[in-house]
Amino acid sequence: MNEVLKNWIEIKLEKICSRITKGGTPTTYGYAFQKEGINFIKVENLNKGTVDLRSISDFISQEAHDFQKKSQLQEGDLLFSIAGTIGETCIVKKEILPANTNQALAIIQGFHKVLTPNFLKFQLDSFVARKVTSKARGGAMNNVSLGDLKNLDVLIPPVPEQRAIVAKIEQLFSELDNGIANLKAAKDKLEIYRQAVLKKAFEGELTKEWRIKQKKEIKLEFIGFGDLCKFTQGIQVPIPNQSEVQKKGQVRFLRIIDFTQGNEPPRFIDNPGERYLVNSSDIALVRYGTVGFVCTGKEGAIANNLFKVAPDERLINPYLIHFLNSHLFKSHLKPKGATMQALSFGLIKPIPIPVFEIDEQKQIVQEIESRLSVCDNILANIEEGLEKSEALRQSILKQAFEGKLLSGEELEACRQEPDWEPAEKLLERVKNQKEVTA
């Protein structure tokens, strides 16, 4: 065993808490939500370990707050989401009080004599949270029970070590967050560069020298999208008619998620006919949801929330794809709809497309891709860096709860603190104090 862990103890969470409970819904008991009053906290109000007061839209009366006594929040409580988005955590701060909560949030109280709030929070954020998530059960709304939470094994180091570990995690996370912010800033700059390249391309700026060498005058006209392309809406197929395993005669059923998430399991349907089929070089455009997203590179039948876009002989596909990915096109998109914003044929047909002669279109594509290939390589490195950052975050937490995060010097400094004692003695002392109080 790691020498450090000899002074630690693993114990069930309920053994060190005065109470682990959850909230309730006031409307169930006849109390209506209000536009002002006592803060009513929901999972969606938790943001990066804190409560975002600006996001609170529901409030309750003092009477409802008094009625839901068991879910009244206290300073220092730890909230843990047990339904919906499982594993969100938050330490209750004084500034959000008075406050109450619903049944999607577990309230963990009375652990402070043996665990600092942030040390427990980081445990719940790491491997403990993953253990809970693995026990999630339910249909569309995953959830865990209070029993699952009460039976979690948590680690208790000496209190000075808890403080030092929390400080070290926060320092390393701060450095990591700065690195992530820099990567995201670089990503934003790449997108600005990408759009600048596309803007110049469709203004004819990138092919100036080419035209001079070819002794050509610029030939550019703006033609409506609908006059250049044929649009076909995809097909609607009920889920029971979609197969997870391809059967004879079936084709891939292409949904938006198949283009936006490469790891999504495929679905297959009976061949609906040529009208709805696309090949890897064809273009599809998202009608609603991620409006205007350009889908290419797959073969199959497109779903009804996609348009198949087929240009006539005046446009080549690669040229059109680059234009559809530019702000010059997206700035014209004005989706409409009360419940869901959507694009109709009528909305996109008038959008003007810059049309050069075919030879210049080919040259424009070449100029764009020679510049954006470098951009794509840098972006791939940035995405890899972001993935590694998240892995590093988990690695830091793993080391922390294996007793490997603090150096020998840092551990020795902890042992010189006046309140240092092995966790076993700490628990025994707290137990004795409770017995005396009782």
Side-chain angles (χ1 to χ4, degrees), residues 11 37 53 134 226 228 237 269 278 291 310 342-343 351 383 403 426 435:
I11 191 169
L53 288 171
S134 70
L228 289 165
V237 180
I269 61 171
V278 296
V291 173
L343 291 176
I351 296 175
E383 295 293 355
L426 170 63
E435 289 176 353

Side-chain angles (χ1 to χ4, degrees), residues 86 135-144:
I86 295 171
K135 293 182 179 179
R137 50 182 167 269
M141 175 76 75
N142 284 338
N143 62 84
V144 297

Side-chain angles (χ1 to χ4, degrees), residues 325-336:
N325 278 316
S326 74
H327 286 332
L328 296 172
F329 170 71
K330 295 188 185 300
S331 64
H332 287 281
L333 297 180
K334 308 293 181 186
K336 293 183 179 180

Side-chain angles (χ1 to χ4, degrees), residues 232-233 283-285 287 302 306-309 343-345 348:
T232 305
Q233 185 174 322
I283 304 168
L285 198 64
R287 289 181 53 230
I302 58 171
L306 295 168
F307 286 139
K308 179 179 177 180
V309 181
L343 291 176
S344 66
F345 293 126
I348 60 176

Side-chain angles (χ1 to χ4, degrees), residues 237-343:
V237 180
I239 291 178
N241 295 344
Q242 301 173 25
S243 305
E244 294 182 355
V245 178
Q246 189 172 17
K247 300 173 185 176
K248 186 177 180 180
Q250 288 189 324
V251 297
R252 177 85 181 267
F253 186 50
L254 297 173
R255 305 153 295 168
I256 295 174
I257 199 169
D258 294 307
F259 294 97
T260 57
Q261 296 184 23
N263 59 351
E264 184 66 18
R267 295 289 182 92
F268 303 93
I269 61 171
D270 294 333
N271 194 331
E274 189 68 28
R275 172 180 174 83
Y276 303 105
L277 298 179
V278 296
N279 60 44
S280 59
S281 61
D282 284 336
I283 304 168
L285 198 64
V286 175
R287 289 181 53 230
Y288 58 81
T290 314
V291 173
F293 186 86
V294 182
C295 306
T296 60
K298 295 185 184 293
E299 296 186 0
I302 58 171
N304 72 319
N305 50 8
L306 295 168
F307 286 139
K308 179 179 177 180
V309 181
D312 65 21
E313 69 281 355
R314 290 171 289 178
L315 283 179
I316 60 173
N317 270 21
Y319 175 89
L320 178 58
I321 290 169
H322 283 304
F323 178 75
L324 296 178
N325 278 316
S326 74
H327 286 332
L328 296 172
F329 170 71
K330 295 188 185 300
S331 64
H332 287 281
L333 297 180
K334 308 293 181 186
K336 293 183 179 180
T339 57
M340 181 175 285
Q341 298 286 284
L343 291 176

Side-chain angles (χ1 to χ4, degrees), residues 19 29 39 67 74 89 91 98 115 191 235 270 280 310-311 315 326 331 371 384 425 438:
R19 186 166 64 156
Y29 307 104
N39 290 325
F67 179 81
Q74 302 170 19
T89 56
I91 298 170
L115 279 178
E191 180 57 26
I235 187 170
D270 294 333
S280 59
L315 283 179
S326 74
S331 64
R371 289 164 173 78
E384 183 181 356
K425 288 187 177 180

Side-chain angles (χ1 to χ4, degrees), residues 36-292:
E36 58 182 23
I38 307 293
N39 290 325
F40 193 74
I41 311 299
K42 300 178 182 179
V43 176
E44 54 264 35
N45 304 130
L46 306 191
N47 181 28
K48 296 180 179 179
T50 62
V51 173
D52 182 3
L53 288 171
R54 295 169 300 178
S55 70
I56 299 174
S57 57
D58 290 329
F59 302 87
I60 60 175
S61 66
Q62 184 66 51
E63 183 182 357
H65 182 57
D66 293 339
F67 179 81
Q68 292 201 169
K69 191 174 183 63
K70 74 166 188 174
S71 53
Q72 292 178 2
L73 302 183
Q74 302 170 19
E75 185 177 3
D77 286 352
L78 188 56
L79 302 181
F80 183 90
S81 59
I82 57 175
T85 306
I86 295 171
E88 291 289 323
T89 56
C90 171
I91 298 170
V92 175
K93 302 288 180 64
K94 186 177 181 179
E95 55 264 28
I96 75 162
L97 300 176
N100 213 296
T101 189
N102 65 10
Q103 63 271 25
L105 287 171
I107 308 165
I108 306 171
Q109 297 176 328
F111 55 86
H112 302 78
K113 289 184 178 180
V114 292
L115 279 178
T116 65
N118 277 315
F119 189 84
L120 178 56
K121 179 185 180 301
F122 279 132
Q123 285 199 71
L124 292 173
D125 282 342
S126 62
F127 70 96
V128 177
R130 291 199 295 277
K131 284 182 182 178
V132 171
T133 303
S134 70
K135 293 182 179 179
R137 50 182 167 269
M141 175 76 75
N142 284 338
N143 62 84
V144 297
S145 69
L146 289 180
D148 291 330
L149 197 54
K150 290 175 181 179
N151 282 310
L152 284 176
D153 294 315
V154 293
L155 294 165
I156 303 177
V159 173
E161 289 181 31
Q162 293 182 40
R163 292 195 295 262
I165 288 170
V166 166
K168 190 79 172 278
I169 291 174
E170 289 177 342
Q171 175 199 337
L172 294 172
F173 277 12
S174 177
E175 293 170 2
L176 192 57
D177 289 340
N178 286 337
I180 290 171
N182 290 335
L183 287 173
K184 288 181 177 179
K187 188 175 177 180
D188 291 342
K189 287 179 181 177
L190 278 179
E191 180 57 26
I192 292 170
Y193 171 75
R194 181 186 296 276
Q195 292 303 325
V197 168
L198 293 175
K199 183 175 184 293
K200 285 189 175 183
F202 297 113
E203 289 173 347
E205 291 294 317
L206 299 187
T207 43
K208 266 186 178 180
E209 291 185 11
W210 176 84
R211 285 196 299 273
I212 291 171
K213 288 179 182 179
Q214 298 292 321
K215 297 180 179 178
K216 290 189 174 187
E217 296 292 328
I218 187 169
K219 292 181 179 179
L220 170 64
E221 57 181 325
F222 290 86
I223 303 175
F225 199 3
D227 295 322
L228 289 165
C229 301
K230 180 182 177 182
F231 302 96
T232 305
Q233 185 174 322
I235 187 170
Q236 185 168 3
V237 180
I239 291 178
N241 295 344
Q242 301 173 25
S243 305
E244 294 182 355
V245 178
Q246 189 172 17
K247 300 173 185 176
K248 186 177 180 180
Q250 288 189 324
V251 297
R252 177 85 181 267
F253 186 50
L254 297 173
R255 305 153 295 168
I256 295 174
I257 199 169
D258 294 307
F259 294 97
T260 57
Q261 296 184 23
N263 59 351
E264 184 66 18
R267 295 289 182 92
F268 303 93
I269 61 171
D270 294 333
N271 194 331
E274 189 68 28
R275 172 180 174 83
Y276 303 105
L277 298 179
V278 296
N279 60 44
S280 59
S281 61
D282 284 336
I283 304 168
L285 198 64
V286 175
R287 289 181 53 230
Y288 58 81
T290 314
V291 173

